[in-house]
Amino acid sequence: MKKIAILQSNYIPWKGYFDLINSVDEFVLFDDMQFTKRDWRNRNKIKSPSGLLWLTIPVKVKGNYYQKISETETRDNAWREQHWKTITHNYSRSRFFNEFKDLFQNLYLGQSETSLSMINYHFLIEICRLLGISTQISWSKEYNSVSGKTERLVEICKQAGATEYLSGPAAEDYIIRNLFERENIQVKYYSYTDYPEYTQLYPPFEHGVSILDLIFNEGKDAYKFMKSFRQ
């Protein structure tokens, strides 16, 4: 039995993204898909005293209407200092900020990578390590491709030797289940409901923010507020 999930890379994703990673044997970054504007690939939300705040990585998109996520480059590296300054300003009073400050400061200021995919990958790997998630993370480009959205997912599952495909609930609207069933691959959808609240700055409580919020507020106990560690 092998469980697999296939999803585009996101920038400092929310806790549900990491729960999905932790619930499978292999997590495939689907970054040979088209880059979409105003999406999670290059932005996410954090808490601030005045409400939710977007952190967005500026990328080169002019004239590149059909570029893949893996082909997307940042405009420059100025965003690194800006984002880290914003994070420091809003989380320096959180209980565990100082404990993890050096790790994230290095991810922001100690790197010069301009590939969006690789930027997201570096954050994912380090955060998985911090949370104790050991799932294999691979890339869709490592697998042979076929035409069709669901067909591509099925083909990756087949080549990876998967018997179960785990997806986020939003994909239920477009996935053609019988294509999986023909290959004896079971499709399941991960539920993002019933998360417990944790100690969070700046009420009211908000679940849908970057995992950084949970880490800075709960430290090494962050996993206790994630569903995959309790199942």
Side-chain angles (χ1 to χ4, degrees):
M1 300 292 290
K2 181 178 181 179
K3 296 181 181 180
I4 191 172
I6 306 169
L7 198 63
Q8 294 95 331
S9 71
N10 286 3
Y11 172 54
I12 52 173
W14 80 303
K15 58 194 173 188
Y17 190 99
F18 289 95
D19 266 331
L20 188 64
I21 296 177
N22 196 38
S23 299
V24 296
D25 302 299
E26 181 178 353
F27 186 81
V28 181
L29 293 169
F30 205 22
D31 278 14
D32 55 353
M33 289 290 287
Q34 183 179 341
F35 173 79
T36 47
K37 295 181 180 180
R38 294 180 293 278
D39 215 331
W40 302 105
R41 311 308 148 239
N42 66 319
R43 67 176 189 165
N44 223 299
K45 294 180 286 186
I46 62 170
K47 296 294 293 289
S48 81
S50 56
L52 296 178
L53 183 65
W54 284 99
L55 292 179
T56 303
I57 300 176
V59 297
K60 300 175 183 177
V61 292
K62 187 175 181 179
N64 299 323
Y65 303 113
Y66 303 106
Q67 68 181 359
K68 299 175 182 178
I69 302 166
S70 58
E71 298 169 337
T72 304
E73 298 281 328
T74 61
R75 291 180 196 165
D76 52 48
N77 271 318
W79 67 272
R80 291 182 176 276
E81 185 171 350
Q82 293 167 359
H83 285 202
W84 180 242
K85 186 179 295 184
T86 302
I87 289 169
T88 300
H89 177 73
N90 289 289
Y91 286 103
S92 60
R93 293 195 298 109
S94 61
R95 291 187 297 165
F96 297 95
F97 179 79
N98 287 334
E99 183 173 344
F100 299 102
K101 176 183 177 181
D102 291 345
L103 169 65
F104 288 102
Q105 184 174 20
N106 181 62
L107 282 169
Y108 279 101
L109 305 184
Q111 311 289 327
S112 58
E113 180 65 66
T114 59
S115 162
L116 179 62
S117 284
M118 293 309 299
I119 290 167
N120 290 344
Y121 177 76
H122 290 312
F123 276 98
L124 289 178
I125 291 297
E126 287 299 323
I127 293 171
C128 280
R129 183 186 61 78
L130 188 158
L131 294 171
I133 296 174
S134 57
T135 300
Q136 175 189 351
I137 297 181
S138 56
W139 300 88
S140 55
K141 64 184 179 183
E142 297 171 10
Y143 295 97
N144 295 328
S145 182
V146 296
S147 299
K149 192 164 188 176
T150 299
E151 288 83 353
R152 292 192 68 191
L153 299 176
V154 172
E155 186 62 25
I156 291 173
C157 287
K158 285 171 57 180
Q159 291 178 49
T163 55
E164 181 180 315
Y165 174 67
L166 185 62
S167 173
E172 194 167 2
D173 293 335
Y174 66 80
I175 282 182
I176 306 172
R177 291 182 67 111
N178 65 351
L179 296 183
F180 285 91
E181 293 167 356
R182 289 177 191 171
E183 303 296 338
N184 296 314
I185 300 169
Q186 187 177 12
V187 177
K188 291 186 177 180
Y189 297 97
Y190 197 84
S191 173
Y192 293 133
T193 60
D194 302 321
Y195 274 106
E197 294 187 3
Y198 54 88
T199 303
Q200 189 179 68
L201 299 175
Y202 320 124
F205 190 90
E206 173 61 49
H207 285 289
V209 291
S210 168
I211 188 74
L212 299 188
D213 185 88
L214 175 56
I215 292 170
F216 290 143
N217 283 303
E218 293 293 346
K220 293 180 179 178
D221 284 338
Y223 74 94
K224 296 179 180 179
F225 301 89
M226 296 175 64
K227 294 178 62 174
S228 61
F229 288 95
R230 296 181 284 116
Q231 295 173 344

